[in-house]
Each structure stands twice: as structure tokens, then as C-alpha cells.
Amino acid sequence: MSTFWASTRNMALIVQKYGGTSVGSIDHIRAVAEKIIQTREQGHEVVVVVSAMAGETDRLVQLAHALSRMPNPREFDVLLSTGEQVTIALLSLALLDRGCPARSYTGAQVHIRTDSAHNKARILGIVDSKIRMDLSMGKVVVVAGFQGTDEMGNITTLGRGGSDTTAVALAAALKADECQIYTDIDGVYTADPKVVADACRMSQVTIEEMLEMASNGAKVMQSRAVEFAGKYNVPVRVLSTFEEGAGTLITVDEQNMQHPVVSGVAFNRDEAKLVIQGVPDSPGVAASVLKPLSEAHIEVDMIVQTVAKEGTTDLAFNVHKRDFKLAFSILENISEDLGAQCIIKDEHVAKLSLVGVGMRSHAGIASQMFQTLGREGINIQLISTSEIKISVIIDEKCLELGVRALHDAFQLGTVEQETVESCSS
Ligand code: ADP
Ligand code: ASP
Ligand code: MG
């Protein structure tokens, strides 16, 4: 419940998003309806975004794959979007049953317009007039997360975890006072508490750090949602549906924050590595490899080109496991034209990342990270860095060992920081 809000503001427009576990059963949906009613009773206007019930999107994915090895992307989206449609109706029924005026809308009904990249579409715009009209009539507006429609009216979905992006985009369009992401954990932690027992909750995290954490696998928020929050200056708070607490504020305002050098460890198991070996070391070759991949909407990460030897070079990169087969077949198609010697593939890799804005002003973090992994016998296959992040690709079997070793080495579980509030153990 957003009691911290009530004490500081009179009336606010709040967008609340409830994830799959939060609406995973009829009892949970009833409890969510109570939370919404309480927020409304505090005098706030509420727009709610919901995910499909826990496990439902996975179930729909399996159904599609039972019929088709590579499901048609348009039809796949028509199928996947149904999960959220069930939840908006159930939640609205629960609210109405409690005497709370409510109205449900699919993404199409509130004109969440996206591009046509099925299964990972980007939101281009939202027409908010219907929502504003309902709010002015005192209704709670319940919107299906994760979906929109393209220019042609085709249903699109926003990629796994996409309801977070729906919520932040709606908050941006409506100029909401806060976007609250309710989930099964009470905030953003220094690492996934399911893997690191002594991970600590942060009371605040910067947008920049959250973006690096999310885009490197911390699925507590979809990375595009964080991008939106940064672009449109939306204050986002991650909260637990099941426990009281102030959660974690994701903020652009860094003024009153102390920055530990390293804030968190993120990881992603959904990685696959591809290396195209022995391509001619000549202008335009990297583009010839990457262009067909981007045309197929495949995101490529950690691109490494080796120093040329005898006129040829190797190009290594990783892609999401979901895109691996397609990426490999695209490389096979172009490799002969490029004169490449061979393609090496490895689906059993994972990405491990260290994130912290304090890295900007501290040297030696990379060497401490590599030494820590070396001591554990973990071999590094690819490295990439940004100002506030260092990522490595390693064997997926070593991932959990690596996550815990780095969390310990950088004392993320024990260090007393203003931004770290409570520990999960
Ligand atoms: P929802 O269904 O509510 O969208 P998700 O399963 O997508 O919830 O995201 C919440 C999960 O994110 C948590 O249960 C947790 O295991 C995982 N997670 C990964 N990294 C972090 C992190 N750094 N802090 C908090 N949770 C994390
Ligand atoms: N239901 C979708 C998923 O499971 C979207 C979401 O939950 O955010 O990925
Ligand atoms: Mg999620």
C-alpha cells in the first residue's frame, strides 16, 4: 500500500502495475483489488496495468510451439496477448464486486500504438483521452500490459516483461506523479535474492544503474521500461504486492545519493555466442555481418573483433538464446559470400555484469573482477565495458558461482551504505 504517498501529497495520479505472481490466483486478484481501493480511498486517481496470471504466458508459448517450430510472429502475438485480457477482466470484476467503479481496456482499445516488430514491439504513442475521461468520472482504469497495435491494426506484444513498459509509458503519457511496479519482491536488490542469499535491498537506485542492471538480466524491470522512465522523467518505485514497505525508488535525481563504487551484480542465462572466423579484414565486412541480423530484429551484444592476422579477422558476439537459431542460419547464408572460414556457436554461455555509477571515478574494478573470477577457475570468453558496467561471457555452468563470488568480493551483502537498506537473509 502506498502510505508514504498519502502522507506527502493530497491527490495524485498513480499508475500501478501488478506482475504475474501478484495476480496469479483469484485470491491474489481480490487482494490486489483491495490495494487499489485503499489507494483510491486515500484520494488518488489510479490507472492499473496488469500482467497475465503467473505461468500463463509460458503456457501460451508452449501451445504455439506444440503446433509450430517457429510460430508465425503475427499469430504468436495474437495468442500471447490473450493472457493479459483475462486478467484485466477478472480484476475489473473484483473491483466492481467491491463497489469500486472500474473499466478494463486492451492495449488496442486505449490506442497503445507500436512499431511492427512482432514479439518485441516498441511503443510509439498512446492516446490517453479515454483513460482521462474515465478518471474524471472517478473510475479505476485497468489496462492490459505487454500489448499494443501497429499502424495496420495488427496486435503486437512488447517482449517478455513488457507490462513494466506499458506501465511506465502510460505514466509518461498521463504525466502521472508516480509509477509503482508491484511484484513478488520488495524492491531492487544488489543481486537477484533467489541466487544470492545475502543480497541487500537498495532504497534508491539511479536510472543509469537500473538500466544497466535490467539490460543485463535483472528482470525485476524490463529494460525498455527503465529507458522510458529516464527519457520522460517518470519516478518509478518497485514495491512488494505482499509486504508493506517503501521499496526502491528509481530516480534521475542523484543529488542526495551516496554512490558505492559497485552497486550490484546482474546476470543473464539467455545468452548464446556466435563467432564468424576468418573473414577478410576489409572495410564494410562488420556491417555485412551485422546488417542482416538487425534487419531480422536480432539484437547483437558485446561485439568483439580480433586483431587481423594474414588479412583475416574473427568477429564474435552474443545474441539472446531465443534468436540463436535464426542468427546462426543468417550467418550460414552470408558466410560463403563473405569468404568466411567457419562459424563457431555456443549456446551454453551466460553473461555476468558488475554495475555501479561509482566505477566512473574508480580504477581497478575490472582487474579485481577478473582476479575474483580467475581465483574461482572461471574462464572469461568475451568482455565488454561501459562507463558504469563491466560484463563478461562465461560458461553457464559457472554462473551462480561467479555471481556469488563477485557479490562477496565487492562486499555488496555487508557494506553499510545509505542506499542499501535491508538484507534478504
Ligand atoms: P513480475 O511477474 O512481477 O513482473 P518478475 O519475475 O518479472 O516479476 O521480476 C521479479 C523477479 O526479479 C524477482 O522475483 C527476482 O527473482 C528477480 N530479480 C532479478 N534481479 C533482481 C534484483 N537485482 N533485484 C530484485 N529482483 C531481482
Ligand atoms: N505476461 C508477459 C510475460 O510473462 C508480460 C509481463 O508479465 O510483463 O512476459
Ligand atoms: Mg516482470
Side-chain angles (χ1 to χ4, degrees), residues 17 161 164 219:
K17 177 255 169 176
D164 298 330
K219 71 165 185 164

Side-chain angles (χ1 to χ4, degrees), residues 17-22 51-52 161 163-164 181-195 200 202 210 213 217-222 238 241 265-267:
K17 177 255 169 176
Y18 292 91
T21 319
S22 310
S51 293
S163 299
D164 298 330
I181 304 291
Y182 281 96
T183 182
D184 59 358
I185 186 140
D186 64 340
V188 179
Y189 278 65
T190 48
D192 187 342
K194 285 181 186 141
V195 171
C200 293
M202 295 180 257
M210 192 64 228
M213 294 279 283
K219 71 165 185 164
V220 62
M221 268 194 81
Q222 201 198 36
V238 177
T241 307
V265 181
F267 59 87

Side-chain angles (χ1 to χ4, degrees), residues 17-21 49-58 60-61 80 83-84 87 145-147 157-166 219 222:
K17 177 255 169 176
Y18 292 91
T21 319
V49 173
V50 279
S51 293
M53 293 170 82
E56 178 61 10
T57 310
D58 289 340
L60 296 169
V61 168
L80 293 195
E84 273 70 11
T87 339
F146 176 57
Q147 56 181 264
T157 63
L158 310 179
R160 298 307 302 264
S163 299
D164 298 330
T165 304
T166 307
K219 71 165 185 164
Q222 201 198 36

Side-chain angles (χ1 to χ4, degrees), residues 339-390:
Q341 281 159 10
C342 67
I343 303 163
I344 297 174
K345 52 180 181 168
D346 188 352
E347 266 188 284
H348 302 289
V349 294
K351 183 163 65 171
L352 177 54
S353 306
L354 209 55
V355 175
V357 285
M359 280 188 204
R360 274 200 189 109
S361 48
H362 280 75
I365 304 300
S367 70
Q368 194 183 343
M369 176 179 181
F370 302 156
Q371 273 171 29
T372 306
L373 296 176
R375 261 199 310 274
E376 300 294 339
I378 299 172
N379 188 40
I380 298 170
Q381 302 180 19
L382 292 177
I383 300 172
S384 86
T385 60
S386 77
E387 265 197 324
I388 65 160
K389 178 217 66 178
I390 305 162

Side-chain angles (χ1 to χ4, degrees), residues 85-105:
Q85 190 166 341
V86 170
T87 339
I88 52 169
L90 290 176
L91 180 60
S92 301
L93 286 172
L95 286 164
L96 290 167
D97 197 57
R98 285 277 286 104
C100 172
R103 199 146 194 199
S104 67
Y105 291 107

Side-chain angles (χ1 to χ4, degrees), residues 76 79 99 179-180 362:
F76 198 36
L79 175 70
C179 180
Q180 300 174 343
H362 280 75

Side-chain angles (χ1 to χ4, degrees), residues 13 37 50 69 81 86 126 132 134 148 161 171 221 232 236 264 267 295 311 314 331 348 369 377-378 383 394 404 411:
L13 170 55
I37 290 166
V50 279
R69 205 169 58 85
S81 67
V86 170
I126 297 176
R132 286 198 185 280
D134 282 340
M221 268 194 81
Y232 297 100
V236 176
F267 59 87
E295 281 168 356
D314 302 341
L331 289 192
H348 302 289
M369 176 179 181
I378 299 172
I383 300 172
I394 58 173
R404 292 193 192 108
Q411 298 177 320

